[in-house]
Amino acid sequence: MSMSSNGIGTMVPMTVQVELAHAATSVLARQAGVDVIVLKGPGMDPSVASADRGSSDVDVLVRPDQLNRWLRLLASHGWTALDRFATGSSFEHSQTFAHEVWGHMDVHRFVPGVGLAPEDAFDQLQESCIEVPLAGVPCRLPDPASQALILLLHAARSHGSSRAQQDIDHAWTRAAPERRAAILSLVEKFDAHVGWAALTGELDKFASDPAYRLWVVASRGGSRTQEWRARIALAPTLGEKAKVAARALLVNTDHLAIVLGRRPTRAEVIQEFVGRFRLGFLELTHRARGRT
């Protein structure tokens, strides 16, 4: 059984720590009056997630206009940011936090694949939320069909993940006809067509969509160069495109710190910087040879 240190020296099973972390998160949100929805984890319905699907962190979606308040609240309660939204993922949708007792939390500002405006999507999810007791505390989760859609959209952007394939098999392939119909209805409701097409192999139908290139890399794989070109293409304005292009040239020190387990030294950042240019050159050279 996986064990985790709670920062005091006592070893507790990971499953216990994660459930307690969900309870602590829900208590904190309720006391502060912040609307938080748990997206995945041990509270998921058995028809959505298999019994052996482990969880190592807390994934929450926060009401958009309360996001900054939630981030300040986490900081005041011992949570430390490990990255930023801009550096956390290619979709720039989440930020990771760590706590010496509760472990890790991913704070989502939107769900990748949901085309509905974040404010409207949150309202729609909240309307159908259910309460699931975790460690004796009621935690708010989407209804099972919405849980399945969120899990499947996550699987769609997880190229090469065996866990993603297991999620697809359990939440969709083996789903009852009524559940499948409910999920497809939610694809329409949340305008999740592009993400869903990535899951079903019909992504090329959306080649004109701004998010197409990014979903191609996320669902089929691709080089770092292709990923950054996709992120630049998705940026809505010339100014934003320029900012993304500038970030592409810099070292993601947040990610490097996670890999190293500490903040990188100046020499390590320089080494990574040189390595990025070398890798980029090799990728472009390989691509040019492929065209030839």
Side-chain angles (χ1 to χ4, degrees):
M1 179 181 292
S2 178
M3 307 292 283
S4 175
S5 172
N6 67 2
I8 304 175
T10 303
M11 300 299 290
V12 298
M14 176 67 76
T15 54
V16 174
Q17 183 195 37
V18 169
E19 189 160 334
L20 288 171
H22 279 78
T25 300
S26 296
V27 169
L28 181 61
R30 187 172 292 109
Q31 290 178 344
V34 177
D35 292 329
V36 167
I37 299 174
V38 176
L39 295 179
K40 293 183 289 184
M44 285 192 293
D45 192 89
S47 65
V48 176
S50 58
D52 60 350
R53 188 187 193 279
S55 180
S56 60
D57 60 6
V58 181
D59 285 276
V60 295
L61 177 68
V62 183
R63 181 177 292 282
D65 62 4
Q66 296 179 330
L67 178 61
N68 290 334
R69 181 181 169 194
W70 179 249
L71 298 182
R72 291 193 298 269
L73 190 65
L74 291 181
S76 68
H77 283 76
W79 291 89
T80 302
L82 298 182
D83 55 22
R84 293 160 289 156
F85 287 108
T87 62
S89 79
S90 58
F91 287 89
E92 302 185 13
H93 68 289
S94 67
Q95 185 175 9
T96 302
F97 290 80
H99 193 283
E100 66 174 6
V101 174
W102 306 125
H104 290 82
M105 176 192 300
D106 281 343
V107 176
H108 295 242
R109 55 181 176 177
F110 62 87
V111 177
V114 171
L116 207 60
E119 298 83 1
D120 297 332
F122 189 93
D123 287 338
Q124 294 287 350
L125 278 176
Q126 184 168 248
E127 283 182 5
S128 62
C129 270
I130 59 176
E131 288 195 337
V132 179
L134 293 173
V137 174
C139 299
R140 188 162 52 179
L141 278 81
D143 67 277
S146 299
Q147 290 176 32
L149 176 62
I150 292 169
L151 191 66
L152 291 168
L153 289 175
H154 182 271
R157 59 182 176 86
S158 303
H159 171 72
S161 168
S162 58
R163 187 185 199 186
Q165 291 303 314
Q166 293 170 359
D167 288 341
I168 294 170
D169 180 60
H170 192 85
W172 177 253
T173 307
R174 301 184 186 184
E178 310 84 60
R179 173 61 55 77
R180 285 193 174 203
I183 294 172
L184 292 177
S185 177
L186 290 174
V187 171
E188 295 289 335
K189 181 178 181 179
F190 287 101
D191 187 19
H193 300 93
V194 179
W196 189 255
L199 180 80
T200 59
E202 299 181 330
L203 185 56
D204 290 339
K205 292 181 179 180
F206 295 88
S208 61
D209 192 282
Y212 169 75
R213 289 185 180 181
L214 193 55
W215 275 99
V216 167
V217 175
S219 62
R220 301 174 184 171
S223 68
R224 293 290 293 172
T225 302
Q226 290 172 317
E227 178 189 324
W228 279 106
R229 290 182 65 186
R231 294 175 72 169
I232 293 170
L234 185 57
T237 65
L238 287 176
E240 289 298 318
K241 290 180 188 297
K243 290 180 182 179
V244 175
R247 288 208 310 272
L249 300 175
L250 301 176
V251 174
N252 185 343
T253 53
D254 294 332
H255 177 72
L256 186 56
I258 293 174
V259 172
L260 296 174
R262 54 174 172 76
R263 297 309 300 179
T265 65
R266 184 177 181 181
E268 288 169 334
V269 173
I270 292 173
Q271 182 181 9
E272 183 74 10
F273 184 75
V274 174
R276 287 170 68 88
F277 271 94
R278 182 182 296 114
L279 179 61
F281 176 77
L282 291 174
E283 288 178 353
L284 291 174
T285 301
H286 179 72
R287 186 175 181 183
R289 288 175 178 172
R291 287 203 190 102
T292 303

mmCIF file of all heavy atoms in Angstrom, residues 29-62:
data_model
loop_
_atom_site.group_PDB
_atom_site.id
_atom_site.type_symbol
_atom_site.label_atom_id
_atom_site.label_comp_id
_atom_site.label_asym_id
_atom_site.label_seq_id
_atom_site.Cartn_x
_atom_site.Cartn_y
_atom_site.Cartn_z
ATOM 1 N N ALA A 29 -13.228 25.653 1.815
ATOM 2 C CA ALA A 29 -14.057 26.367 0.846
ATOM 3 C C ALA A 29 -15.390 26.776 1.451
ATOM 4 O O ALA A 29 -15.861 27.912 1.258
ATOM 5 C CB ALA A 29 -14.285 25.494 -0.388
ATOM 6 N N ARG A 30 -15.998 25.864 2.204
ATOM 7 C CA ARG A 30 -17.303 26.163 2.801
ATOM 8 C C ARG A 30 -17.188 27.288 3.829
ATOM 9 O O ARG A 30 -18.029 28.195 3.862
ATOM 10 C CB ARG A 30 -17.879 24.891 3.433
ATOM 11 C CG ARG A 30 -19.316 25.043 3.928
ATOM 12 C CD ARG A 30 -19.907 23.715 4.361
ATOM 13 N NE ARG A 30 -20.102 22.822 3.232
ATOM 14 C CZ ARG A 30 -19.384 21.738 2.990
ATOM 15 N NH1 ARG A 30 -18.406 21.396 3.812
ATOM 16 N NH2 ARG A 30 -19.626 20.982 1.950
ATOM 17 N N GLN A 31 -16.167 27.248 4.662
ATOM 18 C CA GLN A 31 -15.996 28.276 5.684
ATOM 19 C C GLN A 31 -15.722 29.648 5.074
ATOM 20 O O GLN A 31 -16.137 30.679 5.613
ATOM 21 C CB GLN A 31 -14.857 27.897 6.631
ATOM 22 C CG GLN A 31 -15.175 26.718 7.548
ATOM 23 C CD GLN A 31 -14.004 26.339 8.440
ATOM 24 O OE1 GLN A 31 -12.862 26.730 8.200
ATOM 25 N NE2 GLN A 31 -14.286 25.566 9.487
ATOM 26 N N ALA A 32 -15.028 29.661 3.929
ATOM 27 C CA ALA A 32 -14.680 30.927 3.286
ATOM 28 C C ALA A 32 -15.739 31.412 2.310
ATOM 29 O O ALA A 32 -15.650 32.529 1.796
ATOM 30 C CB ALA A 32 -13.342 30.772 2.555
ATOM 31 N N GLY A 33 -16.746 30.573 2.040
ATOM 32 C CA GLY A 33 -17.789 30.958 1.106
ATOM 33 C C GLY A 33 -17.326 30.969 -0.343
ATOM 34 O O GLY A 33 -17.823 31.745 -1.158
ATOM 35 N N VAL A 34 -16.364 30.093 -0.670
ATOM 36 C CA VAL A 34 -15.863 29.987 -2.042
ATOM 37 C C VAL A 34 -16.473 28.756 -2.695
ATOM 38 O O VAL A 34 -16.495 27.671 -2.106
ATOM 39 C CB VAL A 34 -14.323 29.884 -2.064
ATOM 40 C CG1 VAL A 34 -13.822 29.711 -3.497
ATOM 41 C CG2 VAL A 34 -13.693 31.119 -1.431
ATOM 42 N N ASP A 35 -16.966 28.930 -3.914
ATOM 43 C CA ASP A 35 -17.588 27.812 -4.634
ATOM 44 C C ASP A 35 -16.507 26.959 -5.301
ATOM 45 O O ASP A 35 -15.800 27.431 -6.200
ATOM 46 C CB ASP A 35 -18.556 28.327 -5.693
ATOM 47 C CG ASP A 35 -19.772 29.001 -5.078
ATOM 48 O OD1 ASP A 35 -20.169 28.592 -3.976
ATOM 49 O OD2 ASP A 35 -20.307 29.940 -5.695
ATOM 50 N N VAL A 36 -16.384 25.736 -4.826
ATOM 51 C CA VAL A 36 -15.373 24.808 -5.323
ATOM 52 C C VAL A 36 -16.045 23.482 -5.678
ATOM 53 O O VAL A 36 -16.871 22.977 -4.917
ATOM 54 C CB VAL A 36 -14.278 24.577 -4.257
ATOM 55 C CG1 VAL A 36 -13.410 23.397 -4.622
ATOM 56 C CG2 VAL A 36 -13.414 25.831 -4.099
ATOM 57 N N ILE A 37 -15.700 22.931 -6.828
ATOM 58 C CA ILE A 37 -16.222 21.635 -7.257
ATOM 59 C C ILE A 37 -15.057 20.663 -7.410
ATOM 60 O O ILE A 37 -14.074 20.963 -8.086
ATOM 61 C CB ILE A 37 -16.969 21.749 -8.602
ATOM 62 C CG1 ILE A 37 -18.164 22.701 -8.481
ATOM 63 C CG2 ILE A 37 -17.446 20.367 -9.072
ATOM 64 C CD1 ILE A 37 -18.860 22.980 -9.818
ATOM 65 N N VAL A 38 -15.151 19.511 -6.769
ATOM 66 C CA VAL A 38 -14.130 18.469 -6.901
ATOM 67 C C VAL A 38 -14.350 17.750 -8.230
ATOM 68 O O VAL A 38 -15.450 17.257 -8.505
ATOM 69 C CB VAL A 38 -14.204 17.462 -5.732
ATOM 70 C CG1 VAL A 38 -13.210 16.333 -5.941
ATOM 71 C CG2 VAL A 38 -13.941 18.169 -4.407
ATOM 72 N N LEU A 39 -13.324 17.698 -9.064
ATOM 73 C CA LEU A 39 -13.493 17.152 -10.408
ATOM 74 C C LEU A 39 -13.276 15.653 -10.497
ATOM 75 O O LEU A 39 -13.927 14.977 -11.296
ATOM 76 C CB LEU A 39 -12.527 17.857 -11.370
ATOM 77 C CG LEU A 39 -12.773 19.349 -11.605
ATOM 78 C CD1 LEU A 39 -11.721 19.908 -12.553
ATOM 79 C CD2 LEU A 39 -14.170 19.587 -12.158
ATOM 80 N N LYS A 40 -12.337 15.134 -9.713
ATOM 81 C CA LYS A 40 -12.016 13.699 -9.803
ATOM 82 C C LYS A 40 -11.763 13.171 -8.392
ATOM 83 O O LYS A 40 -12.272 13.716 -7.427
ATOM 84 C CB LYS A 40 -10.789 13.493 -10.699
ATOM 85 C CG LYS A 40 -11.030 13.846 -12.165
ATOM 86 C CD LYS A 40 -9.813 13.569 -13.021
ATOM 87 C CE LYS A 40 -8.691 14.547 -12.760
ATOM 88 N NZ LYS A 40 -7.534 14.335 -13.660
ATOM 89 N N GLY A 41 -11.009 12.078 -8.303
ATOM 90 C CA GLY A 41 -10.618 11.580 -6.992
ATOM 91 C C GLY A 41 -11.495 10.474 -6.442
ATOM 92 O O GLY A 41 -12.326 9.885 -7.150
ATOM 93 N N PRO A 42 -11.336 10.179 -5.151
ATOM 94 C CA PRO A 42 -12.005 9.030 -4.534
ATOM 95 C C PRO A 42 -13.528 9.164 -4.446
ATOM 96 O O PRO A 42 -14.207 8.181 -4.166
ATOM 97 C CB PRO A 42 -11.385 8.972 -3.126
ATOM 98 C CG PRO A 42 -10.928 10.367 -2.862
ATOM 99 C CD PRO A 42 -10.467 10.890 -4.184
ATOM 100 N N GLY A 43 -14.051 10.361 -4.687
ATOM 101 C CA GLY A 43 -15.495 10.541 -4.605
ATOM 102 C C GLY A 43 -16.232 10.219 -5.888
ATOM 103 O O GLY A 43 -17.474 10.261 -5.924
ATOM 104 N N MET A 44 -15.496 9.868 -6.949
ATOM 105 C CA MET A 44 -16.154 9.591 -8.227
ATOM 106 C C MET A 44 -17.047 8.357 -8.140
ATOM 107 O O MET A 44 -16.758 7.412 -7.417
ATOM 108 C CB MET A 44 -15.118 9.407 -9.336
ATOM 109 C CG MET A 44 -14.472 10.699 -9.807
ATOM 110 S SD MET A 44 -13.522 10.507 -11.345
ATOM 111 C CE MET A 44 -12.197 9.458 -10.792
ATOM 112 N N ASP A 45 -18.105 8.392 -8.911
ATOM 113 C CA ASP A 45 -19.058 7.290 -8.926
ATOM 114 C C ASP A 45 -18.386 6.025 -9.473
ATOM 115 O O ASP A 45 -17.603 6.100 -10.425
ATOM 116 C CB ASP A 45 -20.250 7.670 -9.812
ATOM 117 C CG ASP A 45 -21.408 6.717 -9.640
ATOM 118 O OD1 ASP A 45 -22.241 6.956 -8.756
ATOM 119 O OD2 ASP A 45 -21.476 5.725 -10.409
ATOM 120 N N PRO A 46 -18.676 4.850 -8.889
ATOM 121 C CA PRO A 46 -18.074 3.593 -9.359
ATOM 122 C C PRO A 46 -18.355 3.293 -10.830
ATOM 123 O O PRO A 46 -17.575 2.595 -11.477
ATOM 124 C CB PRO A 46 -18.715 2.534 -8.456
ATOM 125 C CG PRO A 46 -19.106 3.284 -7.221
ATOM 126 C CD PRO A 46 -19.513 4.641 -7.694
ATOM 127 N N SER A 47 -19.452 3.825 -11.357
ATOM 128 C CA SER A 47 -19.757 3.602 -12.770
ATOM 129 C C SER A 47 -18.865 4.440 -13.676
ATOM 130 O O SER A 47 -18.790 4.202 -14.884
ATOM 131 C CB SER A 47 -21.224 3.937 -13.059
ATOM 132 O OG SER A 47 -21.482 5.323 -12.871
ATOM 133 N N VAL A 48 -18.176 5.434 -13.091
ATOM 134 C CA VAL A 48 -17.303 6.318 -13.854
ATOM 135 C C VAL A 48 -15.839 5.904 -13.717
ATOM 136 O O VAL A 48 -15.112 5.819 -14.702
ATOM 137 C CB VAL A 48 -17.473 7.788 -13.395
ATOM 138 C CG1 VAL A 48 -16.489 8.694 -14.123
ATOM 139 C CG2 VAL A 48 -18.905 8.246 -13.620
ATOM 140 N N ALA A 49 -15.419 5.653 -12.497
ATOM 141 C CA ALA A 49 -14.028 5.278 -12.223
ATOM 142 C C ALA A 49 -13.975 3.900 -11.588
ATOM 143 O O ALA A 49 -14.745 3.604 -10.670
ATOM 144 C CB ALA A 49 -13.375 6.307 -11.309
ATOM 145 N N SER A 50 -13.073 3.066 -12.066
ATOM 146 C CA SER A 50 -12.946 1.721 -11.517
ATOM 147 C C SER A 50 -12.438 1.769 -10.085
ATOM 148 O O SER A 50 -11.798 2.742 -9.660
ATOM 149 C CB SER A 50 -11.976 0.892 -12.374
ATOM 150 O OG SER A 50 -10.707 1.515 -12.435
ATOM 151 N N ALA A 51 -12.704 0.726 -9.338
ATOM 152 C CA ALA A 51 -12.360 0.698 -7.916
ATOM 153 C C ALA A 51 -10.858 0.784 -7.682
ATOM 154 O O ALA A 51 -10.414 1.275 -6.638
ATOM 155 C CB ALA A 51 -12.918 -0.576 -7.282
ATOM 156 N N ASP A 52 -10.059 0.306 -8.631
ATOM 157 C CA ASP A 52 -8.604 0.317 -8.446
ATOM 158 C C ASP A 52 -7.941 1.561 -9.038
ATOM 159 O O ASP A 52 -6.718 1.640 -9.123
ATOM 160 C CB ASP A 52 -7.982 -0.926 -9.078
ATOM 161 C CG ASP A 52 -8.260 -1.023 -10.581
ATOM 162 O OD1 ASP A 52 -9.083 -0.232 -11.086
ATOM 163 O OD2 ASP A 52 -7.662 -1.888 -11.231
ATOM 164 N N ARG A 53 -8.746 2.547 -9.417
ATOM 165 C CA ARG A 53 -8.175 3.793 -9.949
ATOM 166 C C ARG A 53 -7.747 4.680 -8.780
ATOM 167 O O ARG A 53 -8.541 5.341 -8.142
ATOM 168 C CB ARG A 53 -9.188 4.540 -10.820
ATOM 169 C CG ARG A 53 -8.583 5.743 -11.547
ATOM 170 C CD ARG A 53 -9.645 6.549 -12.263
ATOM 171 N NE ARG A 53 -9.064 7.512 -13.187
ATOM 172 C CZ ARG A 53 -8.575 8.698 -12.838
ATOM 173 N NH1 ARG A 53 -8.616 9.070 -11.558
ATOM 174 N NH2 ARG A 53 -8.053 9.523 -13.738
ATOM 175 N N GLY A 54 -6.473 4.708 -8.500
ATOM 176 C CA GLY A 54 -5.971 5.474 -7.372
ATOM 177 C C GLY A 54 -5.965 6.964 -7.648
ATOM 178 O O GLY A 54 -6.083 7.418 -8.786
ATOM 179 N N SER A 55 -5.808 7.731 -6.576
ATOM 180 C CA SER A 55 -5.729 9.185 -6.687
ATOM 181 C C SER A 55 -4.639 9.669 -5.748
ATOM 182 O O SER A 55 -4.513 9.175 -4.625
ATOM 183 C CB SER A 55 -7.075 9.816 -6.323
ATOM 184 O OG SER A 55 -7.003 11.225 -6.427
ATOM 185 N N SER A 56 -3.845 10.633 -6.206
ATOM 186 C CA SER A 56 -2.735 11.118 -5.392
ATOM 187 C C SER A 56 -2.838 12.593 -5.043
ATOM 188 O O SER A 56 -1.952 13.137 -4.390
ATOM 189 C CB SER A 56 -1.408 10.871 -6.128
ATOM 190 O OG SER A 56 -1.401 11.559 -7.371
ATOM 191 N N ASP A 57 -3.907 13.252 -5.494
ATOM 192 C CA ASP A 57 -4.054 14.672 -5.201
ATOM 193 C C ASP A 57 -5.524 15.075 -5.215
ATOM 194 O O ASP A 57 -6.409 14.243 -5.403
ATOM 195 C CB ASP A 57 -3.256 15.518 -6.197
ATOM 196 C CG ASP A 57 -3.717 15.300 -7.646
ATOM 197 O OD1 ASP A 57 -4.721 14.576 -7.861
ATOM 198 O OD2 ASP A 57 -3.077 15.839 -8.551
ATOM 199 N N VAL A 58 -5.755 16.369 -5.009
ATOM 200 C CA VAL A 58 -7.099 16.928 -5.048
ATOM 201 C C VAL A 58 -7.210 17.780 -6.306
ATOM 202 O O VAL A 58 -6.361 18.652 -6.545
ATOM 203 C CB VAL A 58 -7.384 17.802 -3.807
ATOM 204 C CG1 VAL A 58 -8.806 18.352 -3.853
ATOM 205 C CG2 VAL A 58 -7.149 17.021 -2.526
ATOM 206 N N ASP A 59 -8.216 17.531 -7.139
ATOM 207 C CA ASP A 59 -8.467 18.336 -8.332
ATOM 208 C C ASP A 59 -9.747 19.132 -8.126
ATOM 209 O O ASP A 59 -10.820 18.527 -7.941
ATOM 210 C CB ASP A 59 -8.622 17.444 -9.563
ATOM 211 C CG ASP A 59 -7.300 16.898 -10.051
ATOM 212 O OD1 ASP A 59 -6.623 17.612 -10.807
ATOM 213 O OD2 ASP A 59 -6.940 15.761 -9.670
ATOM 214 N N VAL A 60 -9.641 20.460 -8.149
ATOM 215 C CA VAL A 60 -10.830 21.279 -7.923
ATOM 216 C C VAL A 60 -10.988 22.320 -9.021
ATOM 217 O O VAL A 60 -10.004 22.809 -9.581
ATOM 218 C CB VAL A 60 -10.782 21.995 -6.550
ATOM 219 C CG1 VAL A 60 -10.810 20.991 -5.411
ATOM 220 C CG2 VAL A 60 -9.562 22.905 -6.439
ATOM 221 N N LEU A 61 -12.226 22.620 -9.320
ATOM 222 C CA LEU A 61 -12.589 23.713 -10.220
ATOM 223 C C LEU A 61 -13.193 24.813 -9.361
ATOM 224 O O LEU A 61 -14.073 24.553 -8.538
ATOM 225 C CB LEU A 61 -13.602 23.233 -11.263
ATOM 226 C CG LEU A 61 -14.129 24.289 -12.245
ATOM 227 C CD1 LEU A 61 -13.018 24.738 -13.188
ATOM 228 C CD2 LEU A 61 -15.317 23.730 -13.046
ATOM 229 N N VAL A 62 -12.711 26.040 -9.545
ATOM 230 C CA VAL A 62 -13.149 27.163 -8.717
ATOM 231 C C VAL A 62 -13.972 28.133 -9.562
ATOM 232 O O VAL A 62 -13.660 28.362 -10.739
ATOM 233 C CB VAL A 62 -11.931 27.899 -8.115
ATOM 234 C CG1 VAL A 62 -12.379 29.023 -7.185
ATOM 235 C CG2 VAL A 62 -11.046 26.922 -7.367
#
